[in-house]
Protein backbone atom coordinates (compact mmCIF):
# COMPACT_ATOMS: atom_id res chain seq x y z
CA UNK A 1 0.00 0.00 0.00
CA UNK A 2 1.45 3.37 -0.98
CA UNK A 3 2.05 5.93 1.72
CA UNK A 4 0.02 8.53 -0.22
CA UNK A 5 -2.97 6.25 0.23
CA UNK A 6 -2.01 5.02 3.69
CA UNK A 7 -0.94 8.29 5.35
CA UNK A 8 -3.87 10.66 5.69
CA UNK A 9 -4.16 14.13 7.21
CA UNK A 10 -7.64 15.10 8.35
CA UNK A 11 -8.28 18.64 9.54
CA UNK A 12 -10.80 19.86 12.08
CA UNK A 13 -11.27 23.45 10.94
CA UNK A 14 -13.07 24.45 14.14
CA UNK A 15 -10.38 23.37 16.59
CA UNK A 16 -7.14 23.60 14.62
CA UNK A 17 -6.43 19.91 15.31
CA UNK A 18 -5.05 17.69 12.55
CA UNK A 19 -5.43 13.93 12.86
CA UNK A 20 -2.78 11.85 11.10
CA UNK A 21 -3.64 8.24 10.40
CA UNK A 22 -2.18 5.27 8.53
CA UNK A 23 1.49 4.63 7.83
CA UNK A 24 4.20 7.21 7.29
CA UNK A 25 7.46 6.56 5.48
CA UNK A 26 9.66 8.89 3.44
CA UNK A 27 7.35 8.82 0.43
CA UNK A 28 4.59 10.34 2.54
CA UNK A 29 6.60 13.23 3.96
CA UNK A 30 5.22 15.72 1.43
CA UNK A 31 1.65 14.67 2.28
CA UNK A 32 2.25 15.50 5.93
CA UNK A 33 4.17 18.70 5.21
CA UNK A 34 1.51 20.00 2.83
CA UNK A 35 -1.31 19.11 5.21
CA UNK A 36 0.32 20.94 8.11
CA UNK A 37 1.26 24.02 6.09
CA UNK A 38 -2.21 24.22 4.54
CA UNK A 39 -3.67 24.41 8.05
CA UNK A 40 -1.26 27.18 9.03
CA UNK A 41 -2.27 29.10 5.90
CA UNK A 42 -5.97 28.74 6.70
CA UNK A 43 -5.89 30.12 10.23
CA UNK A 44 -3.50 31.90 12.59
CA UNK A 45 -2.55 30.41 15.92
CA UNK A 46 -1.14 27.06 17.06
CA UNK A 47 -1.84 23.85 15.17
CA UNK A 48 -2.04 20.54 17.04
CA UNK A 49 -1.15 17.39 15.12
CA UNK A 50 -2.51 14.19 16.69
CA UNK A 51 -0.19 11.26 15.91
CA UNK A 52 -2.04 8.73 18.06
CA UNK A 53 -3.24 6.67 15.08
CA UNK A 54 -0.11 7.16 12.95
CA UNK A 55 2.38 4.34 12.46
CA UNK A 56 5.86 5.50 11.42
CA UNK A 57 7.50 2.90 9.19
CA UNK A 58 10.69 4.89 8.64
CA UNK A 59 12.15 6.76 11.65
CA UNK A 60 13.70 9.37 9.32
CA UNK A 61 10.21 10.40 8.23
CA UNK A 62 9.57 11.80 11.72
CA UNK A 63 11.91 14.66 10.87
CA UNK A 64 9.08 16.27 8.85
CA UNK A 65 7.50 17.59 12.06
CA UNK A 66 10.65 19.40 13.20
CA UNK A 67 11.16 20.67 9.65
CA UNK A 68 7.66 22.15 9.55
CA UNK A 69 8.19 23.62 13.02
CA UNK A 70 11.30 25.40 11.73
CA UNK A 71 9.51 26.42 8.52
CA UNK A 72 6.75 28.30 10.32
CA UNK A 73 8.88 29.59 13.21
CA UNK A 74 8.95 33.13 11.81
CA UNK A 75 5.44 33.19 10.37
CA UNK A 76 2.95 35.39 12.24
CA UNK A 77 1.19 33.54 15.08
CA UNK A 78 2.26 30.03 14.03
CA UNK A 79 3.29 27.22 16.39
CA UNK A 80 3.23 23.45 15.90
CA UNK A 81 2.23 21.20 18.81
CA UNK A 82 2.03 17.39 18.83
CA UNK A 83 0.19 14.60 20.55
CA UNK A 84 2.89 11.94 20.28
CA UNK A 85 2.36 8.83 22.46
CA UNK A 86 5.72 7.40 21.36
CA UNK A 87 7.76 10.41 22.47
CA UNK A 88 9.99 9.77 19.47
CA UNK A 89 9.60 13.11 17.68
CA UNK A 90 12.28 15.60 18.68
CA UNK A 91 12.33 19.37 18.32
CA UNK A 92 8.57 19.96 18.66
CA UNK A 93 6.52 20.58 21.85
CA UNK A 94 4.62 17.32 22.47
CA UNK A 95 2.31 15.55 24.92
CA UNK A 96 1.79 11.77 25.26
CA UNK A 97 -2.02 11.99 25.40
CA UNK A 98 -4.59 13.91 23.39
CA UNK A 99 -6.18 15.22 26.57
CA UNK A 100 -2.85 16.66 27.68
CA UNK A 101 -2.16 18.12 24.24
CA UNK A 102 -5.60 19.75 24.11
CA UNK A 103 -5.00 21.21 27.56
CA UNK A 104 -1.67 22.57 26.33
CA UNK A 105 -3.40 24.02 23.27
CA UNK A 106 -6.05 25.65 25.44
CA UNK A 107 -3.38 27.10 27.74
CA UNK A 108 -1.43 28.64 24.86
CA UNK A 109 -1.79 32.43 24.71
CA UNK A 110 -4.44 33.58 22.27
CA UNK A 111 -2.92 34.64 18.98
CA UNK A 112 -2.79 38.43 18.67
CA UNK A 113 -3.01 38.87 14.93
CA UNK A 114 -4.55 41.01 12.21
CA UNK A 115 -5.04 39.94 8.62
CA UNK A 116 -6.89 40.84 5.47
CA UNK A 117 -7.56 39.38 2.04
CA UNK A 118 -6.60 41.60 -0.88
CA UNK A 119 -7.01 41.44 -4.66
CA UNK A 120 -3.96 41.82 -6.93
CA UNK A 121 -4.67 45.49 -7.72
CA UNK A 122 -2.70 48.73 -7.47
CA UNK A 123 -4.51 49.80 -4.29
CA UNK A 124 -3.61 46.60 -2.41
CA UNK A 125 -0.31 47.97 -1.07
CA UNK A 126 -2.07 51.00 0.43
CA UNK A 127 -4.55 48.75 2.26
CA UNK A 128 -1.69 46.56 3.51
CA UNK A 129 0.14 49.60 4.90
CA UNK A 130 -3.03 50.64 6.71
CA UNK A 131 -3.14 47.19 8.31
CA UNK A 132 0.49 47.56 9.42
CA UNK A 133 -0.23 50.98 10.93
CA UNK A 134 -3.25 49.59 12.78
CA UNK A 135 -1.36 46.58 14.12
CA UNK A 136 1.77 48.43 15.18
CA UNK A 137 -0.35 51.07 16.91
CA UNK A 138 -2.35 48.42 18.75
CA UNK A 139 0.74 46.53 19.90
CA UNK A 140 2.87 49.51 20.94
CA UNK A 141 5.38 49.19 18.10
CA UNK A 142 5.20 52.64 16.46
CA UNK A 143 8.86 52.54 15.47
CA UNK A 144 8.11 49.63 13.13
CA UNK A 145 5.32 51.33 11.19
CA UNK A 146 7.68 52.82 8.60
CA UNK A 147 10.02 49.84 7.96
CA UNK A 148 7.14 47.35 8.06
CA UNK A 149 5.21 49.57 5.67
CA UNK A 150 8.14 49.46 3.25
CA UNK A 151 8.41 45.68 3.54
CA UNK A 152 4.71 44.96 3.10
CA UNK A 153 4.51 47.36 0.15
CA UNK A 154 7.22 45.45 -1.69
CA UNK A 155 5.77 42.06 -0.76
CA UNK A 156 2.29 43.03 -1.97
CA UNK A 157 3.58 44.73 -5.10
CA UNK A 158 5.49 41.56 -6.00
CA UNK A 159 2.19 39.67 -5.90
CA UNK A 160 0.49 42.31 -8.03
CA UNK A 161 3.33 42.39 -10.58
CA UNK A 162 4.24 38.70 -10.76
CA UNK A 163 1.76 36.35 -9.09
CA UNK A 164 -1.46 38.06 -10.25
CA UNK A 165 -3.49 36.19 -7.61
CA UNK A 166 -5.53 37.14 -4.55
CA UNK A 167 -3.42 37.35 -1.41
CA UNK A 168 -3.70 37.26 2.38
CA UNK A 169 -1.67 39.68 4.49
CA UNK A 170 -1.15 38.63 8.12
CA UNK A 171 0.88 40.18 10.92
CA UNK A 172 1.40 39.48 14.60
CA UNK A 173 3.72 40.63 17.39
CA UNK A 174 6.09 38.47 19.36
CA UNK A 175 7.66 40.45 22.18
CA UNK A 176 9.22 43.53 20.58
CA UNK A 177 9.29 41.93 17.14
CA UNK A 178 6.76 42.09 14.33
CA UNK A 179 6.14 39.02 12.16
CA UNK A 180 4.62 39.73 8.75
CA UNK A 181 3.58 37.41 5.91
CA UNK A 182 1.90 37.61 2.53
CA UNK A 183 0.39 34.44 1.10
CA UNK A 184 -0.45 34.19 -2.62
CA UNK A 185 -1.46 31.40 -4.98
CA UNK A 186 1.50 31.32 -7.34
CA UNK A 187 4.29 28.73 -7.04
CA UNK A 188 6.83 31.23 -8.39
CA UNK A 189 9.42 31.85 -5.68
CA UNK A 190 11.13 35.22 -5.15
CA UNK A 191 14.75 35.26 -6.31
CA UNK A 192 17.08 37.61 -4.45
CA UNK A 193 20.56 38.07 -5.90
CA UNK A 194 21.67 41.11 -3.93
CA UNK A 195 22.24 44.63 -5.21
CA UNK A 196 20.53 45.33 -8.55
CA UNK A 197 22.61 47.07 -11.23
CA UNK A 198 22.03 50.82 -11.25
CA UNK A 199 21.17 50.81 -14.95
CA UNK A 200 18.28 48.35 -14.59
CA UNK A 201 14.65 49.18 -13.97
CA UNK A 202 12.98 47.39 -11.04
CA UNK A 203 14.45 44.43 -9.22
CA UNK A 204 15.01 46.35 -6.00
CA UNK A 205 11.93 45.21 -4.05
CA UNK A 206 13.62 42.24 -2.39
CA UNK A 207 16.68 44.39 -1.64
CA UNK A 208 14.44 46.82 0.24
CA UNK A 209 12.86 43.96 2.19
CA UNK A 210 16.32 42.61 3.02
CA UNK A 211 17.44 46.08 4.16
CA UNK A 212 14.57 46.93 6.53
CA UNK A 213 13.99 43.49 8.10
CA UNK A 214 16.00 41.29 10.48
CA UNK A 215 15.19 38.21 8.41
CA UNK A 216 12.89 37.14 5.59
CA UNK A 217 12.16 34.12 3.44
CA UNK A 218 9.66 32.24 1.33
CA UNK A 219 7.87 28.95 1.97
CA UNK A 220 6.32 26.72 -0.65
CA UNK A 221 2.79 25.81 0.42
CA UNK A 222 -0.05 23.94 -1.30
CA UNK A 223 -1.48 26.17 -4.00
CA UNK A 224 1.15 28.89 -3.72
CA UNK A 225 3.68 30.35 -1.32
CA UNK A 226 4.10 32.42 1.84
CA UNK A 227 6.66 35.24 1.87
CA UNK A 228 7.46 36.29 5.44
CA UNK A 229 9.69 38.73 7.27
CA UNK A 230 10.59 39.70 10.85
CA UNK A 231 11.30 43.21 12.10
CA UNK A 232 12.68 44.11 15.55
CA UNK A 233 12.02 47.33 17.41
CA UNK A 234 15.57 47.18 18.80
CA UNK A 235 16.97 47.51 15.27
CA UNK A 236 15.13 50.79 14.79
CA UNK A 237 16.37 52.12 18.14
CA UNK A 238 19.94 51.32 17.09
CA UNK A 239 19.52 52.81 13.62
CA UNK A 240 17.90 55.99 14.96
CA UNK A 241 19.36 56.66 18.43
CA UNK A 242 17.95 59.44 20.53
Amino acid sequence: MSTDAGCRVEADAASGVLRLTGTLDRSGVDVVRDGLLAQFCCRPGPVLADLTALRVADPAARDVFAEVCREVRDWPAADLLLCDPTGAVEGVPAWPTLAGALAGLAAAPLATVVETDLPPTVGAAREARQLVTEGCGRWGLPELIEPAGIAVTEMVNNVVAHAHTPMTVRLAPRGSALHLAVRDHSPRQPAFTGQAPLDTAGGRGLLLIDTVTRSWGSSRVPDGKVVWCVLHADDESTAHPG
Side-chain angles (χ1 to χ4, degrees), residues 1-10 19-25 50-57:
M1 179 173 59
S2 70
T3 303
D4 283 356
C7 180
R8 294 172 293 279
V9 182
E10 303 169 358
R19 186 167 182 264
L20 281 69
T21 61
T23 302
L24 173 64
D25 60 20
D50 179 9
L51 313 187
T52 304
L54 182 70
R55 186 179 76 86
V56 179

Side-chain angles (χ1 to χ4, degrees), residues 121-176:
T121 58
V122 173
R126 181 182 65 255
E127 294 186 50
R129 287 193 298 273
Q130 290 173 347
L131 191 73
V132 165
T133 300
E134 172 193 337
C136 288
R138 179 188 303 178
W139 303 321
L141 298 170
E143 60 270 70
L144 293 181
I145 292 176
E146 181 179 355
I150 293 171
V152 80
T153 295
E154 298 305 328
M155 293 161 75
V156 167
N157 282 343
N158 279 341
V159 178
V160 174
H162 304 295
H164 312 295
T165 75
M167 71 192 89
T168 300
V169 179
R170 181 183 295 170
L171 57 148
R174 191 176 300 169
S176 63

Side-chain angles (χ1 to χ4, degrees), residues 185-196:
H185 300 278
S186 167
R188 179 177 177 179
Q189 295 290 315
F192 177 58
T193 57
Q195 181 74 48

Side-chain angles (χ1 to χ4, degrees), residues 40 71 88 98 162:
F40 281 111
E71 187 79 46
L98 183 57
H162 304 295

Side-chain angles (χ1 to χ4, degrees), residues 14 68 76 97 158 170 200:
V68 169
T97 67
N158 279 341
R170 181 183 295 170
T200 61

Side-chain angles (χ1 to χ4, degrees), residues 2 15 31-32 42 60 101-102 124 151 162 180 210 212 225-227 233:
S2 70
S15 65
V31 174
V32 173
C42 288
L102 289 171
H162 304 295
L180 171 62
D210 189 67
V212 301
K225 65 180 175 293
V226 171
V227 180

Side-chain angles (χ1 to χ4, degrees), residues 9 16-20 32 36 47-52 65 80-84 93 95 98 101:
V9 182
V17 176
L18 293 182
R19 186 167 182 264
L20 281 69
V32 173
L36 292 171
V47 169
L48 171 60
D50 179 9
L51 313 187
T52 304
F65 299 105
L80 178 61
L81 311 176
L82 298 180
C83 171
D84 176 25
W95 289 260
L98 183 57

